[in-house]
Structures are given as structure tokens and as C-alpha cells.
Amino acid sequence: MYKVISATPSPYARKVRIALAEKSVPFELITEVPWDATTVTPHHNPLEKLPILLRDDGDPVYESYLIMEYIERMHPDPALVPSDTAGWLLAKRLEVLCDGVCDAFVLSFFERHRDAALQSEPWLARQRRKIDGGLTEMARLLGDKEYFIGNGFTLADLAAATVVSYLSVRWPDIDWRAAYPTLLAHADRMEERPSFQSSRPVPQTI
């Protein structure tokens, strides 16, 4: 059985948990705070980042993008990535876009927790532009459709819904709901899925 080392609010880890649940692949969840002195993260990932997928018969798999690729190759049914080139490219484009929004938010999150006199407003403004630009592009790609690609759930829907849920937990003062009503409606639909309900993010003390 797999083990997934995760932080409770992490959208990167949540993607992995949802993918495994959607494919009915059992796993043991191990919750970590990777900044704590007691963390085991460095033993499995030299980059000291979560999530990490532990296998019984091989080296750990780390970084959510690679873990998602591994899961799709090892457990192809049901497929989360379309087999046609256009669909594959769009799904991966959404994943890259959503990871970029998360990266910008994480950079902002830690910058805002520095001493106020040391914070860089130009740096924060640049990260905010990335977040706003990413959300705008996500909304454009979704349009008025129920799903990002075709008529069913894919990696694109998984990535988009996890990133906006993360913003709600870690940065509730960003009023993305009013600005992007189609993303809100899409996220609400995704949150009804059992895989999302079982992995809802909660804040973690750092």
C-alpha cells in the first residue's frame, strides 16, 4: 500500500489524494509539518517538500507533478488525462497554471509573515498579479462549461478546484468568488465529489 506524506492545507498534496481516491487506490495518509524539527520529510525528499509518495517496492516519488504522472501510468483506469494530444495538452496546461498560482501564493504567504518593515511591496504586487492572471486564464479556459475538457472529470478540474479551495483557506481576503463566479460554481460542483469531501484542506500551525 502507498503512503502519502502530506500537509493538511497543501493543494499539491490534495491533488495526489484526490487522484488516488478517484482511482480507488488505497493509501495511508501521514500528516507532516515540514518545517518542524521532527519532520521526516528530508529522509524521503532531498528538496524537503511535500507531498511525497512512498512505495513498498521502490524509491519515493516526490513533487506533485511527478507523482500525478506516476499515478496515471501505474493506475490508468479511470483516466484523469485525455489520450488525445489536444486534451492532454489542455489538462497539463491547467495543471501548470494552477501550480503557478499556488507557487505565487506560497511566496506571498511567507513574505507577508516577515517583519512588516522587511516586506517588499513590489514583490507582493508581482505575486498578486500572477495569482490574478492565473485565475483569469482559468476562468477563460472554463468558459460556461461544466468541465474544463469534454463531458467528464479530468486532471484539469482536479487542479483548478484544489487551487481555489486553497485560496479560501489560506487567503480568504482575496475576493475571487465575486470576480470569478464560473470558477466558484465549478469548485462547488467538484467539492460534492467524495474524493474532495474526504480531503478538504484545513489550516496548519507553522
Side-chain angles (χ1 to χ4, degrees), residues 112-124:
R112 289 188 295 116
H113 280 75
R114 298 174 72 199
D115 185 277
L118 300 176
Q119 293 181 23
S120 169
E121 288 304 321
W123 173 264
L124 287 169

Side-chain angles (χ1 to χ4, degrees), residues 171-193:
W171 204 347
D173 55 319
I174 290 184
D175 191 14
W176 64 269
R177 296 169 185 81
Y180 306 101
T182 57
L183 290 182
L184 173 60
H186 174 268
D188 286 346
R189 290 194 300 273
M190 296 304 106
E191 291 292 339
E192 295 176 358
R193 300 177 74 90

Side-chain angles (χ1 to χ4, degrees), residues 144-171:
D144 60 358
K145 304 188 299 293
E146 182 176 359
Y147 298 100
F148 277 92
I149 304 171
N151 298 314
F153 180 80
T154 68
L155 172 63
D157 303 293
L158 193 165
T162 52
V163 71
V164 295
S165 295
Y166 179 61
L167 291 178
S168 297
V169 170
R170 279 298 195 190
W171 204 347

